[in-house]
Each structure stands twice: as structure tokens, then as C-alpha cells.
Amino acid sequence: MSDMIDVGSGPAVVLIPGIQGRWEWMWPAVDALERHCRVISFSLAESRGVDPTRGFDAYLDQIEEVMTHAGLADA
């Protein structure tokens, strides 16, 4: 996934962006967290062109896809 980042080591934290939708806006938080844990983040579905009529399910599918790509069963 080109819009996913995976940095740090230790317990995994999946950091979901806020309303702005882009993980890059959370870089200070990613930078601070990666000193203590593994941080996986990504840009939200709308920025990837996902069908907005799917509603919240599009976000849930995206989180599952990110976790699978990162090799995580839980976080």
C-alpha cells in the first residue's frame, strides 16, 4: 500500500487520521509514538477514491486491509 506507513518497533498501534484524512498531518504524533511502539498509519478512504456510498463500511474495510498488509491480527 503506497499510502501506508509502518515505523518503529514493539506493540503495534494503528493510528487512524482525523477528519483531515491524511496521515501526513499527524507526523508529530507518529514521530513521538514510534519511539515506544510500532506505528501503522494511512490516509483515509476518501483520499484513495473509495465509493462514499458505502459509508462507514469503507473505513472498516480499509482498516482491515491495512492491518492485513502489516501482518497484524490485532493492534
Side-chain angles (χ1 to χ4, degrees), residues 24-49:
E24 295 90 345
W25 287 88
M26 298 187 318
W27 188 250
V30 171
D31 189 42
L33 285 168
E34 76 172 309
R35 296 178 193 139
H36 307 283
C37 56
R38 178 180 177 198
V39 182
I40 295 98
S41 192
F42 54 94
S43 296
L44 290 177
E46 275 104 15
S47 47
R48 294 180 15 184

Side-chain angles (χ1 to χ4, degrees), residues 5-6 22 30 32 45 47 49 54 56 65 69 73:
I5 62 161
D6 187 341
R22 303 285 306 173
V30 171
S47 47
R54 294 205 52 242
F56 196 72
E65 179 184 335
H69 187 77

